[in-house]
């Protein structure tokens, strides 16, 4: 039996990812010590190692988990799932290199039509955008190429958002957007899309909204929650100001890379689709 730390070393899977794969996909069921520490056996280590190989080769985590659970571990290979855009996280960066608008838009259409929107966001879209950013940093994709892809993704997210059915009367209501000076919309727009797909009434206010507008709108709408993102360090002052002003009116929740650096608001975590689905469940239950 192996501790979680030793299992992470043996499989090459970080501790937090181990926990997510266990809780979200049920790939392994570790034993527990009397002190409630997790212990993994050889079979669990093999399963996790195979799943890691599948994910590293381009499989979406959910599909990799199904493959590991459905077939004997020794027979599972690390081939790509054929035909699925969700198995290829390098494609957005590739489109940024050659400016292929037809391929890019077709890929986005297929990705958002293939299954659950939360899974598409967490398992394909956000990892693909990370790869795009890495390609830009390495010089493989130009500034124009990165903007070309990001603009197309934002258009597709907005289209998906508006094509979703209107929520039922009495559905929970959430305001979402970005604080003054913040313009990185992709994450919060994806969050709003998934939230609406779960039956929540979402008022999406977009980027660069002054704190006075947040306060005035919250007083008019009286939402069940307000969601802002903190994608960059530069956004922290404006978000802190907005949180302080909005919290007397409504509950504020934060996403983005620097969400943990703002006091007075609840951090949503870094899995956008999962966080939106969880919030919808909480608000509906309440």
């Amino acid at each position: 039996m192996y501790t979680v730390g030793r299992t992470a070393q043996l499989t090459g899977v970080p501790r937090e990812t181990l926990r997510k794969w266990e809780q979200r996909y049920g790939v392994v069921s570790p034993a527990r010590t009397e002190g409630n520490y997790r212990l993994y056996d050889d079979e669990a280590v093999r399963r996790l190692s195979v799943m890691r190989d599948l994910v590293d080769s381009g499989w979406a985590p959910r599909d990799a988990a199904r493959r590991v659970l459905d077939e004997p571990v020794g027979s599972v290979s690390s081939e790509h799932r054929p035909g699925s855009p969700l198995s290829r996280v390098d494609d957005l960066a590739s489109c940024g290199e050659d400016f292929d608008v037809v391929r890019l838009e077709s890929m986005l259409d297929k990705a958002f039509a293939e299954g659950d929107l939360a899974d598409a966001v967490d398992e394909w879209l956000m990892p693909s955008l990370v790869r795009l950013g890495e390609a830009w940093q390495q010089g493989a994709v130009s500034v124009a190429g990165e903007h070309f892809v990001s603009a197309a993704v934002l258009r597709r997210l907005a289209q998906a958002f508006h094509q979703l059915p209107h929520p039922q009367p009495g559905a929970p209501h959430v305001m979402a957007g970005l604080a003054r000076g913040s313009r990185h919309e992709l994450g919060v727009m994806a969050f709003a899309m998934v939230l609406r797909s779960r039956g929540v009434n979402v008022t999406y206010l977009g980027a660069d909204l002054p704190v006075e507008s947040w306060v005035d709108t919250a007083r008019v709408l009286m939402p069940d929650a307000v969601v802002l993102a903190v994608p960059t360090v530069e956004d922290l002052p404006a978000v802190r100001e907005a949180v302080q002003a909005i919290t007397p009116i409504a509950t504020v929740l934060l996403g983005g890379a620097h969400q943990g650096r703002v006091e007075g608001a609840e951090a949503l975590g870094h899995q956008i689709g999962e966080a939106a689905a969880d919030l919808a469940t909480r608000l509906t239950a309440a």
Side-chain angles (χ1 to χ4, degrees):
M1 303 293 284
Y2 308 100
T3 64
V4 64
R6 181 60 177 153
T7 302
Q9 292 176 344
L10 291 170
T11 61
V13 180
R15 293 183 183 213
E16 289 304 313
T17 303
L18 284 177
R19 200 170 285 117
K20 175 186 173 183
W21 287 358
E22 171 194 337
Q23 296 173 349
R24 190 169 185 185
Y25 306 117
V27 176
V28 293
S29 298
R32 297 276 180 171
T33 67
E34 291 183 1
N36 205 32
Y37 292 102
R38 291 176 296 161
L39 292 175
Y40 299 82
D41 59 14
D42 288 332
E43 176 68 12
V45 169
R46 283 193 293 270
R47 284 176 175 270
L48 291 165
S49 297
V50 172
M51 183 162 173
R52 181 211 61 206
D53 290 342
L54 290 170
V55 171
D56 287 349
S57 70
W59 283 59
R62 184 174 296 276
D63 293 330
R66 289 195 188 112
R67 183 73 181 274
V68 170
L69 292 170
D70 289 346
E71 300 190 25
V73 173
S75 69
V76 179
S77 62
S78 299
E79 59 190 279
H80 290 273
R81 178 181 173 217
S84 171
L86 302 184
S87 68
R88 300 185 297 271
V89 296
D90 292 312
D91 282 359
L92 286 187
S94 176
C95 289
E97 294 177 25
D98 57 21
F99 295 91
D100 188 340
V101 66
V102 174
R103 178 177 169 230
L104 175 58
E105 292 182 349
S106 174
M107 180 186 1
L108 291 169
D109 288 342
K110 290 177 182 177
F112 287 116
E114 183 155 309
D116 186 81
L117 289 176
D119 290 339
V121 168
D122 286 349
E123 298 175 2
W124 178 77
L125 179 61
M126 301 316 294
S128 296
L129 290 172
V130 170
R131 293 285 181 92
L132 174 66
E134 292 171 348
W136 169 75
Q137 290 175 336
Q138 295 162 3
V141 172
S142 66
V143 174
E146 191 276 336
H147 283 204
F148 162 74
V149 173
S150 296
V153 171
L154 186 60
R155 288 196 305 271
R156 189 62 185 81
L157 289 171
Q159 180 184 7
F161 178 88
H162 290 295
Q163 287 177 339
L164 288 166
H166 289 289
Q168 295 295 320
H173 184 197
V174 173
M175 288 167 48
L178 295 172
R180 167 183 47 82
S182 184
R183 299 182 182 278
H184 294 80
E185 277 190 84
L186 293 179
V188 71
M189 182 75 248
F191 185 94
M193 175 191 68
V194 175
L195 198 59
R196 181 166 174 173
S197 76
R198 294 300 202 271
V200 175
N201 181 14
V202 181
T203 299
Y204 183 70
L205 300 177
D208 190 20
L209 190 68
V211 64
E212 297 82 6
S213 296
W214 278 105
V215 170
D216 291 344
T217 308
R219 284 175 175 159
V220 170
L221 298 180
M222 297 302 293
D224 296 287
V226 172
V227 173
L228 295 95
V230 200
T232 71
V233 173
E234 290 77 12
D235 297 320
L236 283 168
V239 172
R240 286 169 177 154
E241 179 187 26
V243 168
Q244 186 175 9
I246 298 168
T247 47
I249 308 168
T251 300
V252 181
L253 303 100
L254 298 179
H258 301 278
Q259 59 188 267
R261 300 177 64 181
V262 179
E263 295 182 359
E266 178 185 341
L268 286 163
H270 298 281
Q271 294 291 316
I272 290 174
E274 183 177 5
D278 288 347
L279 178 59
T281 299
R282 285 168 48 191
L283 292 176
T284 302

